[in-house]
Amino acid sequence: MSQIFGEFIEEFPQEHESLELSFTSSSRPIEERWRNNRLSAYFIANYFSTFLPIDENPDRREDRIEATRNSVSYVGNELLENAMKSNEENNHNKVKFGIHFLEEFEKVTAVIFTENSITTQKAREFQAFIRELLDADPNELYVQQIEKTAESEDSEASGLGLLTAINDYSAKLGWKFEIAPSNPQIVIVTTMAQIVV
């Protein structure tokens, strides 16, 4: 049985473009992964930009491509870093990262996603944060999280990247939680961000 939070797309149209990468999070120290995460986010952003509709005005087209690359790479990097940091390495599940391309009339949406595994305890804590995020004003919650961070050097105030994705890139976020078939103590989390470009 799965639990869905926020705006999560479970079924995509059969005829659409997508790209998925997978990583073994335990193969390198997390500090060495940051560069690879950023490169992966740039890669999917560049891939996605090739599917944007052609604009007759070359200046407007270049501006749109650049803005799209910035949005997709920022949000993608945030999702991938969160998935890598929280992945339960002992379970040996790979971290998945990718993008779907949805085009409807004149609206083009980048659907960026990650999939990773966490313990049931971490899943409960994460779901509590998601409920707070979905019920709060994202601007007010952003300020609260900044204040928590400033009050304590050891603060683990989290979610600033997700709040930035909502506030600065108008991302619609969604999550799916499923018990891992091979281990009932592990939860597979899929995080999704939709950005209209």
Side-chain angles (χ1 to χ4, degrees):
M1 182 176 148
S2 63
Q3 290 180 281
I4 303 287
F5 297 85
E7 299 199 33
F8 190 89
I9 301 172
E10 287 198 85
E11 302 239 351
F12 287 90
Q14 286 189 345
E15 297 292 325
H16 81 288
E17 297 292 338
S18 65
L19 174 71
E20 181 179 306
L21 307 171
S22 62
F23 306 92
T24 304
S25 65
S26 60
S27 66
R28 291 179 176 206
I30 193 79
E31 296 79 17
E32 292 180 19
R33 285 253 164 228
W34 297 141
R35 182 175 177 272
N36 289 345
N37 293 344
R38 196 170 43 252
L39 288 173
S40 300
Y42 289 147
F43 177 71
I44 67 159
N46 283 326
Y47 169 82
F48 180 80
S49 69
T50 64
F51 291 98
L52 291 174
I54 293 174
D55 195 314
E56 297 298 323
N57 182 327
D59 291 337
R60 200 167 50 202
R61 175 175 167 68
E62 287 305 313
D63 289 346
R64 185 178 188 194
I65 288 172
E66 190 59 31
T68 299
R69 282 183 185 148
N70 290 338
S71 301
V72 171
S73 64
Y74 177 85
V75 174
N77 191 51
E78 285 300 320
L79 295 189
L80 185 55
E81 283 187 2
N82 289 343
M84 287 290 196
K85 278 190 288 192
S86 63
N87 192 50
E88 180 56 39
E89 294 179 0
N90 294 332
N91 195 47
H92 304 295
N93 280 346
K94 290 187 182 281
V95 173
K96 296 179 182 174
F97 174 55
I99 190 165
H100 296 274
F101 177 90
L102 296 179
E103 187 172 10
E104 231 176 28
F105 304 108
E106 294 184 7
K107 188 172 95 172
V108 178
T109 305
V111 183
I112 307 158
F113 68 93
T114 56
E115 181 186 293
N116 64 292
S117 59
I118 58 177
T119 63
T120 52
Q121 174 62 32
K122 283 186 177 177
R124 284 191 290 273
E125 293 168 5
F126 190 31
Q127 289 173 354
F129 173 75
I130 290 169
R131 287 187 184 97
E132 182 182 5
L133 178 69
L134 294 175
D135 291 342
D137 176 307
N139 288 308
E140 288 179 18
L141 187 56
Y142 183 86
V143 172
Q144 290 171 10
Q145 294 299 87
I146 291 284
E147 288 172 352
K148 278 184 190 175
T149 302
E151 288 171 3
S152 170
E153 290 181 12
D154 298 330
S155 172
E156 293 190 14
S158 62
L160 290 175
L162 296 177
L163 287 162
T164 300
I166 293 169
N167 291 334
D168 293 358
Y169 298 97
S170 302
K172 295 178 182 175
L173 302 179
W175 296 267
K176 182 177 182 180
F177 293 78
E178 300 172 285
I179 298 294
S182 60
N183 183 348
Q185 300 304 312
I186 296 295
V187 177
I188 307 296
V189 182
T190 305
T191 303
M192 180 178 288
Q194 301 176 52
I195 307 171
V196 176
V197 296

